[in-house]
Amino acid sequence: MKILILNGPNLNLLGRREPDVYGNEGFDTYFQSIAKRFSDIELEYFQSNHEGDLIDKIHDVGFSYDGIVFNAGAYTHTSIALHDAIKAVKTPVVEVHISNVMSREQFRHTSMIAPACKGTIAGFGLDSYRLAIEAIIGMNN
Ligand code: DQA
């Protein structure tokens, strides 16, 4: 089974960025721990601050991988292009957020990508990614 974890803008700064909201752990360290936990799965990680790169990556893996765990960062709230990219591919996408976006500012309450995704997991810190992986495994069993 192949799963891509895809992180959007500013998520390269995890561990340093607003630690009160996003925690103190960098994503590279976290990725090592889940790669170990799910050692029977091929887990890949890609991050970009650029919308087009995220679209290209969805196109690249979206007809062959078993799932995409996608934290689109702020593009979640704005990007019709990412919505369309998710719709365009066959691979199921699970939307993920570290913070509980519904308990934050009003502008974070809208997700442009949610209607194109299988489901959404938000508010469990970095553990949101693990929960999304479990969801994809469940879908494939
Ligand atoms: C986020 C929530 C978004 O509103 C924000 O723009 C992010 C991170 C999260 O993981 O909680 O960059 O997607």
Side-chain angles (χ1 to χ4, degrees), residues 9 11 17 22 71 73-74 76-77 96-99 101 104 108:
L11 293 164
R17 167 196 188 198
Y22 299 113
N71 187 343
T76 303
H77 316 298
V96 154
H97 300 287
I98 297 163
S99 64
V101 281
R104 299 180 64 194
R108 294 184 207 275

Side-chain angles (χ1 to χ4, degrees), residues 86-136:
I86 295 165
K87 278 268 199 190
V89 298
K90 288 217 154 32
T91 299
V93 177
V94 177
E95 176 185 2
V96 154
H97 300 287
I98 297 163
S99 64
N100 179 357
V101 281
M102 298 311 284
S103 70
R104 299 180 64 194
E105 303 94 323
Q106 188 74 33
F107 64 83
R108 294 184 207 275
H109 296 185
T110 301
S111 169
M112 300 303 288
I113 67 166
C117 291
K118 269 285 181 191
T120 302
I121 296 168
F124 297 96
L126 288 175
D127 203 36
S128 294
Y129 292 88
R130 179 191 61 82
L131 293 166
I133 293 167
E134 303 275 13
I136 290 169

Side-chain angles (χ1 to χ4, degrees), residues 32-130:
Q32 279 174 22
S33 70
I34 39 168
K36 229 180 247 171
R37 184 180 185 130
F38 294 102
S39 56
D40 48 338
I41 290 174
E42 271 185 74
L43 268 188
E44 181 186 330
Y45 171 52
F46 181 81
Q47 188 276 331
S48 176
N49 293 321
H50 306 281
E51 191 175 20
D53 290 345
L54 296 168
I55 293 167
D56 287 344
K57 193 67 185 174
I58 291 168
H59 293 178
D60 282 351
V61 308
F63 294 91
S64 55
Y65 282 34
D66 301 291
I68 300 173
V69 173
F70 190 19
N71 187 343
Y75 287 141
T76 303
H77 316 298
T78 61
S79 179
I80 297 168
L82 283 170
H83 170 112
D84 286 351
I86 295 165
K87 278 268 199 190
V89 298
K90 288 217 154 32
T91 299
V93 177
V94 177
E95 176 185 2
V96 154
H97 300 287
I98 297 163
S99 64
N100 179 357
V101 281
M102 298 311 284
S103 70
R104 299 180 64 194
E105 303 94 323
Q106 188 74 33
F107 64 83
R108 294 184 207 275
H109 296 185
T110 301
S111 169
M112 300 303 288
I113 67 166
C117 291
K118 269 285 181 191
T120 302
I121 296 168
F124 297 96
L126 288 175
D127 203 36
S128 294
Y129 292 88
R130 179 191 61 82

